[in-house]
Amino acid sequence: MNAKVELERIKDAVKEGYLFACLRLPEEMVKKFEEALKLEENPLARRVFEILLENAKIAEREKIPLCQDTGIPVVIVRFSSGVDLSGVPEAINEGIAEAVKEGYLRSSVAHPLTRKNTGTNTPAIIHYEYVSNETFDIWLMPKGCGSENMSRLAMLPPARGIQGIKEFVLNTVKEAGPNPCPPLIVGVGIGGNFERSAYLAKRALFRNPGEPNRDPEVAELEKELLEEINSLGIGPLGFGGKTTALFVHIEIEPCHIASLPVAVNLQCHSARLKKIKLL
Ligand code: SF4
């Protein structure tokens, strides 16, 4: 297959997609908020869910961002052989910059040392994934940094095993407390090496909310961890309650026999995500 998608089309799709993501929560999140509201007995936790549901409705109706932090853009480009990627990163950045301008979104990307704002909320962090089936998808995540800042990575001794992984994930959520704006989606990357585990944790957050890992053993670990996280009692926005996390997503890959990398990437309740299909 030889495919050259018009750069203008990519830019426009990214612009629309980024705006959409900033204004509309994924349906799965809204559904889960409704379920959690029924489950919670703590009046403060219930009130938080009522406000989050109202906030989602207002954002969609009034076309205003779900949260003032419209994120650092994280993008995954999934492509198969024959897809021409020349000019694609530029088109993605232009699309995001236009969305920021048109939607009056906050520009939050700055030089790390001078802290000078780039003014366009770009450059986006773009990852590339080669896939075998005929594909050209662009996945967009405006990622809030309240939750990003509380994310952690550990190179555990392999002897710590599954118990060590669980302890690390639980400690990360516990130490984060209310800072990452719970209820959370907890992305966990296990295996690979130092940088790969961090990517796996981020990749886990790109899964549709609540979609379990295809491997039943890993899916079981997701369930166990979710229960253990929710028994911490941090609750929505840290006010206490049964719902500290809505979902746990885990991605795993093989690693060196001498290491056990584990990364935890926290996603806040404003778990914005938009997946665009270009082929
Ligand atoms: S962490 Fe999420 S909910 Fe909290 S301020 Fe940032 S984007 Fe908003």
Side-chain angles (χ1 to χ4, degrees), residues 93-244:
N93 281 315
E94 281 170 30
I96 291 167
E98 286 190 14
V100 168
K101 202 168 166 200
E102 196 176 304
Y104 301 101
L105 308 180
R106 192 179 86 184
S107 176
S108 307
V109 177
H111 187 286
L113 302 179
T114 64
R115 311 309 296 181
K116 189 177 179 326
N117 200 303
T118 64
T120 55
N121 214 36
T122 64
I125 294 164
I126 308 179
H127 303 282
Y128 296 87
E129 270 186 12
Y130 177 78
V131 285
S132 50
N133 299 337
E134 202 169 291
T135 303
F136 186 18
D137 295 341
I138 296 181
W139 292 355
L140 301 165
M141 177 184 288
K143 181 69 175 70
C145 277
S147 49
E148 196 73 358
N149 289 349
M150 304 315 293
S151 300
R152 298 288 182 266
L153 192 150
M155 301 301 288
L156 297 178
R160 296 275 307 276
I162 293 182
Q163 196 47 38
I165 293 169
K166 281 185 163 181
E167 281 167 18
F168 179 65
V169 175
L170 283 167
N171 279 339
T172 302
V173 175
K174 207 164 152 185
E175 279 168 22
N179 296 311
C181 302
L184 308 167
I185 302 180
V186 180
V188 184
I190 305 172
N193 62 357
F194 183 80
E195 80 277 8
R196 185 67 184 169
S197 63
Y199 178 68
L200 290 175
K202 178 72 78 215
R203 182 66 175 76
L205 296 180
F206 274 86
R207 213 189 289 158
N208 294 336
E211 190 183 314
N213 190 295
R214 280 197 211 146
D215 178 335
E217 252 180 79
V218 182
E220 192 49 40
L221 185 58
E222 289 175 339
K223 261 203 222 162
E224 287 172 17
L225 265 171
L226 182 63
E227 272 179 38
E228 291 177 35
I229 289 168
N230 283 335
S231 67
L232 292 173
I234 296 167
L237 296 185
F239 287 120
K242 298 178 180 172
T243 330
T244 302

